[in-house]
Every structure is written in C-alpha cells, then in structure tokens.
Amino acid sequence: MDRAFQRTRILTNHLLLSSPAQTACLTSNDCFNYSPPELSEKYAFDVNEMRKLMDGHDVEERDRLFGLIIQSKLFNPRVRGGKVFVLPDYNQSMEQQREMTWKRIEYLLERGVFKGWMTGEGEDVEMKRFACFEVLGLFDHSISIKLGVHFFLWGGAIQFFGTKHHHDKWLRDTENFKVKGCFSMTELGHGSNVRGIETVTTYDSKTGEFVINTPCESAQKFWIGGAAKHATHTIVFSQLNINGINEGVHALIAQIRDADGNVCPNIRIADCGHKIGLNGVDNGRIWFDNVRVPRENLLNSVADVSPDGKYLSSIKDPDQRFAAFLSPLTAGRVNIAVNAVYQSKVGLSIAIRYALTRRAFSLKPNEPEVLLLDYPSHQRRLLPLLAKIYAMSFGANYLKMLYVKRTPQSNKTIHVVSSSFKATFTWSNMQILQECREACGGQGLKTENRVGHLKAEHDVQSTFEGDNNILMQQVSKALFAEYVMAQKRNKVFKGLGLEHMIKPCPVIPSQLTSTTLRCSQFQMDALCLRERELLNRFVADVSQCLAKGESKEQAFNMSYQVAEDLGKAFSDRAIFLTFIEAEATLAAGSLKDVLGKVRSLYALDCLEDIAYLRYGCLSVENAAAVRKEITKLCSEVRPHALALVSSLGIPDAFLSPIAFNWVDANSWSSVQH
C-alpha cells in the first residue's frame, strides 16, 4: 500500500511539473553567439609586410592566380556561413575527380598561367613557377602533382638530360599540352633503389632504334602519375644494354598513346586504382613489349649511342653518370618541400582561427566560457607549430633561391639541402596537420573543414620522390664525406654550413636564464653543438665498424640511429640560419620584435629534441628551463596569434567554415539552403 502511494505521488509531481504554467517558468542560458576574432584581437605589426617576408616573391602573381580560382565554378565554390569557399568535391568518384583535375588544368592553360614555364629562361621564370605551384597546391594536391609530373619531371628531364634537338622538339609542345608527359622511373620491385630497376633497353644498329622491354612482372613501371588516363608520352628509365654490356640506368622518350588517347602497340597500361588521397591523379602501371623508339629519343646530354652502336660518354665514372640522371628529382623535391609548408599554413590558419572563437568550460560559476587559445595547454599545442611554420617558410625560400641559382659546383649542396628539407618539411606537415585535426575536435573530421582530409592527401609526400628515412641517411653520409675529406686533406670545413666545426666548441652555461635562452647566438650555438656532437659520434661509430672489417655500407647501416639524429640536427640548424637571415633584413620595430619571439619559440622547440639529453648536450635542469621558457613564450606570442596566421597569405576562400562563422555555417537554415 505504501509502495502504491509513493508511486502515485511521484506521478502526480511529474504531471504538475510538466504543466504549461510550470514550463513557462523555466529559463535557458544565453545561446552562444559567434564573434569574429578581429573585434578583440589587435594587430601589433603590418601583416602585409610580414606576408611579403614570408612568401618571399611573386605576391602579385599569387593573388592573380588566387582570383582566377575563386571566380570559376570549376573550382567548386560553396557558400557556408556567409562566405565562399573553394574545395574539390571529394564525394566524386575517382574518375570524376580525374576529369575535374584535367578540366581545371585546361582552364588555367587557356588563361596563360603556364606561359613560359618550359620555354622561358631565368630566375624570375622559375620563381614565378614555384609561386604558382604553391597557390595551386593550396586548392588541391592532385592538380599540383599532375602539373608537377608534367612540368618538373617530364619537362625537367628533357631540359636536363636532353640536348638542343630535344628542347626544340618537345618543350613548347609540353608547355601548351600538345604533349602530355609522365615519368616512368619507379617499378613494382624497385622504388628508392633506382639503380636496381629491371626494365631493359637494347640497341638495334640495323634499324637505328632502341628496343624497350619489361622482362618480368617486378619490372612493370608502377605509380606513374598521368599514365593511367591522360599521358601521351613518357620518360622511360631502364638499364641500357649495349653489345652485351650494361651501361647502367639511362632515359629515353617513348610514346604510349596516340592523339586520340589510344594506347600504342606493344604497350600495356593498367590503373593503380583508388588511393587514400590524390585520386585526381591517374597513377598507372606500364609494361613494354619490344617497344621500338628512334635513336634520337635517347636523352643524350650525359651519354649517347652512335648510329653503329657505340656507347659514348664524357663521364667515365658510372657513379657520377648515375648521379647526373637523378638531377630532375631535385626540382621535384624542392617543389614537394615547399608545398608541404603551405599545407601546414592552411591547417594552422584554420585551427588557430577556430581556437580564437571556440569556447569551452568556465573557470568560475556564471562566467563566460574560456577561448580555447587562452588555455596554456592549447597554446602549447599550436603556437610552437606556428613558429615552426615561420622557420620552414624562410627555409623554403632559401631552398628555392639555392635551386634557381644553381651551378655545377652547387649541385651537391642542393642535393643535400633539398633532401634534408624535403624530409623535415613533409614529416613536420604530417605532425602539424594531425595536431590541428585534434585541436579542432570533432569539426576536424569534416571534409569541408579541410584539416583531416589534407593529412590523407599529403601522406604520400613522406615516401615519393625519395623516402624520407633514406633521404636523411643520404644527408648523414654526405656530412660524413665532408668530415673525412677535411681530415684527410687537413683543410677547413667549407660548405653545407659546417664551418662551425673548426670553431671552439660552444659551452652551455650550467644555469640557463631567460635572457640567455632568448639570445639568438646562444640558440645557434646550441644547435651547432648538437650537430657537432652527432657528427663526431657518427664518424666514430662508422670508423669503429670499418676497423672491425665491415664494409662501408654495412657500417652506415649499423649506425643508422645516430645518422637519423644527425640528419635532423643538420636540418634544424640550417633552417634556423635562414630564420636569422630573414630577421636581419628587418628594421627595428614591432614586426621585428614579434618575429624575434617567434624565432626564440622555434629555437627552443628544437632544443626539446630528446637528442640533447641523450647525448649530454643539455643537463636535466637546463632541459627543464627550456620547457618552462617555451610556456612563457607561448603566452607572449598568444596576443599576436591572429596577426601571425593572417600574415601567412592564405585567402579566406582557401580555408574552411570553422575558421570563420562556424555557427551560421552549421545552422538549420544552411541545411535547408
């Protein structure tokens, strides 16, 4: 009876509380209203001047190309939250994405974007081309890779390996896309080890033709961008066998499709299929079955074959000859490295803008929720990455200038720096995009918000045009060679920035103060100290293995852990030097003051590398002081966060809805529209 009474009372109370009179008394908290960060965040410096410093060149050309993209429906403009955004439709099928990539290229071709890219000469032409690639990559990775294969790899091979008759025949037709080129180097069985590729080319002196063959399944050309659908011609890398002697890897031009898109006789092409990203690029596989090409199609700036079948080359050393055939990859690496920096700019611009408007939790009852970027932990996640982007931008500008001013004497430096920066920038891009994805919470999962999808699209950068781990090993081997050469010839280090090796070893104070930690000379000394320590250790480890009778290659393999740390130390020091040089161009003022804080944040972030503790370059106490100073610098950079991302030069249309009014972008009215 008591139980029945209790249940009746609960039900009665429930009905009374649900009555209209009672409901009217309920009140709700105020709804969140979006407030643009520009209303509360102040600019302490001229963002246009900072942008010029960051982009480094061709700002007007970049803006012109941004405008061409935004104004065309081909680039899929969509209105979200009252703003227009351009973004590929990744819901399209693989075939549709490929066709849209090609239509966009045709649109740009009709508007003269590619004019002079193959037929023009001079540093200005090359720098303008880099700028255009950076802009196009901000819209879609597929279009930049498609164009990169055509211009940098196919076109670059003809420029570097070919001679005048190749240039006259192919370059203009490449520039206007009468010829659509691809680059057949990698195979199913060989990627990084280009020297081991299995495709074979022989010479028939009776007909004056080369004969290309795929002798086994592992020799099929694999991951060839453009081969599956659009390419009409390709550069074929193969083992050149003349009179029974293998002369090593050489490059020839072969036609794979006719003008109507039909695959040529004795050639088989298959699609590589759907990928985790880059589905706007038609990667394909190619088999050659006794494919005959004219003798003139051998790209012969390095080596030639006479009409009667004699092998001719002014470079007698096979190693040097092989190195010459890899030169087009340098341009590709430069382009990939720079592209990675700009993708990171997009991710951080979105994540930081979102963190300047998104709130979570109140510190006290009845107080407003706190902006994400006002939490020290959120600052620690994003602001050191922003400092890294600034450093990488200056490094990218240096790398481009190093490349366009190349000479035969600078080729080694270009190879080492481009390998180092390509690995560092692309690895950093993955780290930055992942952190930005997490910092955006669930919104980071939406494709339209870009950050998560950018990570999938650019994952490939870590392995194509040189696996990053192998590139870093090459960097360490080059540093080893410089060290040994300097010791043998009793000469000073000259080149690759190793001049610091002959100076007195830097001494780190036993107690690091804030003033010391922010001193650019201390920062450079600390970075040089790590590189010096690791290079000495690497040489000692390799020498010890050699003394035990190991081969040089095995000695390098056994010392791979120190080699990896050395490659990173070289890269960090080289990038930091470009930051110092960029900062030195500025007159005293607020822009230089803010940039100095960003530089210190980058340098101290480098000093948190575990190698400093592992090899005794920093004491535990000093490592703790570095960490404490980073937190302090983050709080000082925080007021400039909006100005710093606004200086990255990314138009609003290339960001995403959560970077702006994400409330309106997700409102019910937007669903109905």
Side-chain angles (χ1 to χ4, degrees):
M1 191 69 179
D2 290 340
R3 182 175 177 81
F5 177 76
Q6 184 180 12
R7 291 180 64 187
T8 301
R9 187 176 62 182
I10 292 173
L11 184 59
T12 301
N13 289 337
H14 173 71
L15 291 172
L16 289 172
L17 287 172
S18 302
S19 67
Q22 292 288 334
T23 303
C25 295
L26 297 177
T27 59
S28 62
N29 293 327
D30 291 335
C31 287
F32 178 89
N33 288 312
Y34 171 82
S35 177
E38 287 80 1
L39 296 179
S40 55
E41 305 286 325
K42 306 301 180 184
Y43 289 180
F45 59 86
D46 187 334
V47 296
N48 292 319
E49 288 302 309
M50 184 73 91
R51 184 205 169 181
K52 290 177 183 177
L53 185 67
M54 294 286 285
D55 278 338
H57 62 96
D58 293 288
V59 172
E60 290 184 2
E61 183 62 27
R62 293 171 196 268
D63 289 342
R64 185 181 83 87
L65 187 48
F66 281 134
L68 285 176
I69 292 172
I70 293 169
Q71 72 188 28
S72 172
K73 291 184 178 180
L74 282 171
F75 292 86
N76 195 36
R78 297 180 64 205
V79 177
R80 301 283 278 111
K83 296 183 77 72
V84 175
F85 298 97
V86 287
L87 180 71
D89 183 358
Y90 294 114
N91 289 319
Q92 289 182 324
S93 68
M94 182 176 71
E95 284 300 319
Q96 288 173 322
Q97 289 186 53
R98 291 174 176 180
E99 282 309 303
M100 285 306 301
T101 299
W102 180 243
K103 287 179 180 178
R104 288 164 184 149
I105 291 173
E106 288 181 318
Y107 167 84
L108 297 169
L109 177 65
E110 291 167 1
R111 282 149 185 82
V113 171
F114 312 128
K115 186 177 180 180
W117 280 26
M118 288 282 97
T119 56
E121 296 180 356
E123 295 175 9
D124 290 345
V125 171
E126 293 196 75
M127 293 301 281
K128 177 182 173 182
R129 189 168 62 186
F130 276 127
C132 290
F133 265 99
E134 290 154 21
V135 169
L136 293 170
L138 288 173
F139 170 73
D140 181 30
H141 197 201
S142 287
I143 194 170
S144 66
I145 293 302
K146 185 86 167 173
L147 291 171
V149 169
H150 179 74
F151 285 110
F152 279 110
L153 295 183
W154 156 267
I158 293 172
Q159 284 180 321
F160 285 106
F161 300 159
T163 48
K164 187 177 185 304
H165 77 274
H166 297 111
H167 299 165
D168 293 343
K169 181 175 181 179
W170 298 102
L171 291 184
R172 187 168 298 279
D173 284 352
T174 296
E175 185 173 290
N176 59 30
F177 281 90
K178 287 183 179 178
V179 166
K180 305 178 187 72
C182 63
F183 190 80
S184 296
M185 178 179 277
T186 56
E187 298 178 352
L188 178 63
H190 290 87
S192 296
N193 182 17
V194 176
R195 210 164 194 166
I197 61 175
E198 298 171 291
T199 302
V200 176
T201 294
T202 56
Y203 180 68
D204 185 346
S205 58
K206 295 178 182 178
T207 62
E209 295 173 313
F210 289 104
V211 184
I212 309 171
N213 271 291
T214 303
C216 53
E217 287 297 343
S218 59
Q220 64 180 272
K221 295 298 181 182
F222 210 100
W223 290 126
I224 311 305
K229 190 172 182 66
H230 294 128
T232 59
H233 294 72
T234 191
I235 304 291
V236 183
F237 286 82
S238 64
Q239 304 290 348
L240 183 61
N241 195 307
I242 303 296
N243 299 319
I245 299 174
N246 182 9
E247 301 291 356
V249 175
H250 289 65
L252 303 95
I253 296 173
Q255 186 169 356
I256 60 174
R257 284 187 181 85
D258 62 24
D260 297 322
N262 302 306
V263 177
C264 293
N266 299 338
I267 287 176
R268 290 172 286 153
I269 297 177
D271 204 308
C272 286
H274 196 274
K275 308 179 288 288
I276 64 172
L278 278 181
N279 285 300
V281 177
D282 50 319
N283 293 91
R285 304 145 63 194
I286 309 175
W287 291 258
F288 301 93
D289 304 318
N290 290 314
V291 174
R292 289 179 171 266
V293 300
R295 187 179 69 88
E296 294 75 20
N297 282 23
L298 177 69
L299 296 176
N300 62 347
S301 67
V302 174
D304 205 353
V305 175
S306 66
D308 60 351
K310 292 180 181 177
Y311 183 77
L312 310 167
S313 179
S314 60
I315 305 176
K316 302 305 179 185
D317 186 338
D319 291 338
Q320 292 181 7
R321 209 159 55 223
F322 174 70
F325 278 117
L326 297 182
S327 56
L329 293 179
T330 302
R333 284 181 192 143
V334 173
N335 195 42
I336 290 167
V338 175
N339 181 271
V341 175
Y342 276 82
Q343 303 313 310
S344 294
K345 289 181 179 181
V346 173
L348 274 169
S349 295
I350 293 169
I352 288 176
R353 280 184 168 274
Y354 185 56
L356 287 168
T357 61
R358 182 69 154 85
R359 296 176 179 272
F361 305 106
S362 301
L363 297 182
K364 296 179 180 178
N366 302 317
E367 283 192 353
E369 292 183 276
V370 179
L371 287 173
L372 295 184
L373 203 59
D374 285 338
Y375 283 103
S377 59
H378 214 74
Q379 294 172 14
R380 189 64 174 78
R381 293 172 70 180
L382 296 180
L383 297 185
L385 299 181
L386 181 59
K388 180 180 284 190
I389 280 301
Y390 268 71
M392 286 163 50
S393 294
F394 299 134
N397 289 334
Y398 164 76
L399 178 59
K400 286 181 284 187
M401 289 306 299
L402 184 67
Y403 177 78
V404 302
K405 292 180 178 293
R406 62 192 176 277
T407 64
Q409 293 73 33
S410 67
N411 281 341
K412 179 179 180 181
T413 299
I414 294 171
H415 170 70
V416 173
V417 175
S418 65
S419 297
S420 168
F421 284 15
K422 185 266 182 182
T424 300
F425 293 176
T426 56
W427 271 333
S428 296
N429 185 37
M430 287 295 97
Q431 173 207 4
I432 289 168
L433 291 175
Q434 179 63 30
E435 193 64 59
C436 290
R437 208 297 296 156
E438 294 180 24
C440 292
Q443 292 294 334
L445 293 176
K446 292 188 70 175
T447 302
E448 72 169 7
N449 288 330
R450 301 207 68 184
V451 181
H453 198 85
L454 282 176
K455 187 166 179 286
E457 284 284 312
H458 291 82
D459 198 316
V460 66
Q461 289 186 335
S462 300
T463 51
F464 74 176
E465 308 248 1
D467 179 284
N468 284 355
N469 289 282
I470 293 175
L471 291 179
M472 279 304 205
Q473 289 178 27
Q474 290 181 8
V475 170
S476 296
K477 288 179 182 178
L479 298 177
F480 175 89
E482 287 294 312
Y483 187 104
V484 171
M485 187 179 298
Q487 295 293 318
K488 281 185 177 180
R489 299 181 182 178
N490 198 26
K491 290 185 178 181
V492 298
F493 287 95
K494 189 175 181 180
L496 300 179
L498 294 176
E499 291 81 2
H500 69 87
M501 294 290 293
I502 62 173
K503 297 178 181 179
C505 184
V507 177
I508 303 296
S510 58
Q511 287 188 322
L512 291 174
T513 65
S514 178
T515 302
T516 301
L517 286 168
R518 297 188 185 208
C519 172
S520 60
Q521 186 58 58
F522 162 77
Q523 293 160 2
M524 179 58 80
D525 285 347
L527 292 168
C528 288
L529 176 63
R530 176 181 52 161
E531 185 180 25
R532 175 195 290 251
E533 173 67 22
L534 286 165
L535 181 52
N536 286 329
R537 282 179 180 266
F538 184 56
V539 172
D541 287 356
V542 171
S543 299
Q544 189 175 18
C545 289
L546 292 174
K548 293 179 180 179
E550 301 282 2
S551 68
K552 181 179 283 189
E553 285 305 314
Q554 182 62 11
F556 283 134
N557 288 337
M558 295 294 290
S559 308
Y560 77 95
Q561 289 178 313
V562 177
E564 289 176 358
D565 290 339
L566 174 58
K568 186 177 188 306
F570 169 83
S571 188
D572 287 348
R573 190 264 306 156
I575 292 168
F576 182 74
L577 180 59
T578 68
F579 204 137
I580 291 291
E581 291 172 347
E583 190 180 352
T585 65
L586 299 174
S590 57
L591 194 153
K592 188 166 188 171
D593 292 343
V594 173
L595 196 61
K597 294 180 186 293
V598 175
R599 181 251 306 150
S600 288
L601 185 52
Y602 168 71
L604 297 189
D605 188 57
C606 290
L607 265 60
E608 278 214 302
D609 180 32
I610 190 63
Y612 276 94
L613 286 172
R614 180 182 291 148
Y615 302 109
C617 298
L618 280 182
S619 66
V620 174
E621 292 77 13
N622 277 342
V626 168
R627 192 171 203 186
K628 183 178 180 181
E629 195 65 25
I630 289 175
T631 301
K632 187 177 178 182
L633 277 166
C634 284
S635 68
E636 293 176 21
V637 170
R638 158 64 185 90
H640 308 290
L642 181 62
L644 288 168
V645 295
S646 298
S647 301
L648 299 180
I650 314 297
D652 293 356
F654 287 73
L655 298 179
S656 72
I658 59 166
F660 302 99
N661 194 338
W662 43 271
V663 176
D664 279 0
N666 289 281
S667 66
W668 179 248
S669 61
S670 70
V671 175
Q672 292 176 310
H673 179 71

